Amino acid sequence: MIRDGRVTVDGLPVTHPEHKLDPSSCTVAVDGAAIRYQRFHYFMLDKPVGVITATEDSRQTTVLDLLPAELRRLGLFPVGRLDKDTSGLLLLTDDGEFAHRVISPKSCVKKRYYAEVEGEADEADVLAFSRGIVLGDGTQCLPAELELLGGGRCIVTVMEGKYHQVRRMLASRGKTVLALRRLSIGGLALDESLGPGGLRELEEKDLCTLFNA
Ligand code: URA
């Protein structure tokens, strides 16, 4: 496009593809239409049950398979993981630092899950969660919140993401998880209007909401 003279920087045609510019102050246009430069990309996905949190797999559908073709070449990857049987909020990005900040327990970003369990969690379970559950293999978890909703339903809030963590925390209290759905990450709630497999690009204000909870 540059060689064909279709690209301008601040209104002047550029002739060399190696032309350097400052994307924060220059306006780049193709055929007269300004294009937006974006270093990193952030999306929320309502991950459906049955899809694996991976970037590629020869047999199973991955969360990246759910993306439209034009987004697949951005090099997005999932921020943390949800089990195949877990649905709900999954972030996708190409920003490694952002992903680390969301996942790291040091950042204290809360992950909130809705769970349906066999049996009924009670106040003793709430107390055990608040003290920090010890998993079946002896792993000590950070203190977490358990809210009882009745009817075998509860909300679990954790600040870390160990393997199958919520299922194993509830299992350690004798509760088998029947359904698990992530509702929010930090202050950012899943947009329930998306529906299973639905995707929405996050804006600056969403990222602020996420970290400012
Ligand atoms: N905890 C789990 O057990 N599974 C998930 O997918 C997420 C948190």
Side-chain angles (χ1 to χ4, degrees):
M1 287 191 285
I2 288 175
R3 292 208 179 91
D4 290 344
R6 295 169 57 195
V7 179
T8 58
V9 175
D10 291 336
L12 299 173
V14 282
T15 46
H16 302 294
E18 64 273 19
H19 184 98
K20 300 280 187 296
L21 58 89
D22 176 359
S24 64
S25 61
C26 295
T27 302
V28 179
V30 177
D31 298 333
I35 55 166
R36 189 167 64 104
Y37 172 77
Q38 199 178 328
R39 174 73 182 85
F40 293 120
H41 304 82
Y42 310 89
F43 292 88
M44 80 158 59
L45 171 75
D46 184 346
K47 178 196 160 311
V49 166
V51 173
I52 62 166
T53 306
T55 49
E56 55 183 33
D57 192 273
S58 54
R59 286 172 300 121
Q60 305 191 71
T61 306
T62 73
V63 289
L64 287 196
D65 292 332
L66 303 177
L67 304 185
E70 70 272 16
L71 295 184
R72 264 183 240 158
R73 58 185 170 77
L74 289 179
L76 299 172
F77 55 86
V79 177
R81 66 184 295 281
L82 292 178
D83 302 334
K84 186 175 175 184
D85 291 337
T86 303
S87 66
L89 177 57
L90 184 70
L91 301 177
L92 301 170
T93 188
D94 48 3
D95 181 348
E97 261 181 50
F98 166 81
H100 177 73
R101 199 171 155 207
V102 172
I103 296 167
S104 170
K106 287 193 190 124
S107 307
C108 298
V109 175
K110 291 183 176 180
K111 287 89 184 176
R112 197 159 178 266
Y113 296 85
Y114 167 79
E116 290 175 7
V117 299
E118 214 169 57
E120 196 69 63
D122 59 21
E123 289 301 331
D125 299 320
V126 173
L127 188 64
F129 269 62
S130 72
R131 288 183 171 154
I133 292 282
V134 179
L135 301 178
D137 64 358
T139 304
Q140 174 73 58
C141 297
L142 292 172
E145 288 166 41
L146 175 65
E147 294 166 56
L148 307 176
L149 301 178
R153 298 165 307 130
C154 58
I155 302 280
V156 177
T157 305
V158 294
M159 282 193 289
E160 49 189 348
K162 300 186 195 302
Y163 180 66
H164 289 334
Q165 179 158 353
V166 173
R167 291 174 198 276
R168 288 160 75 209
M169 286 168 86
L170 285 162
S172 81
R173 301 294 305 173
K175 314 293 181 300
T176 302
V177 170
L178 304 173
L180 190 62
R181 179 166 178 77
R182 183 151 64 193
L183 302 177
S184 61
I185 299 177
L188 184 68
L190 174 65
D191 183 344
E192 291 286 354
S193 69
L194 291 176
L199 186 76
R200 152 161 109 68
E201 186 159 15
L202 298 181
E203 299 168 18
E204 189 79 37
K205 66 173 165 51
D206 294 313
L207 303 182
C208 293
T209 306
L210 192 160
F211 289 116
N212 288 340

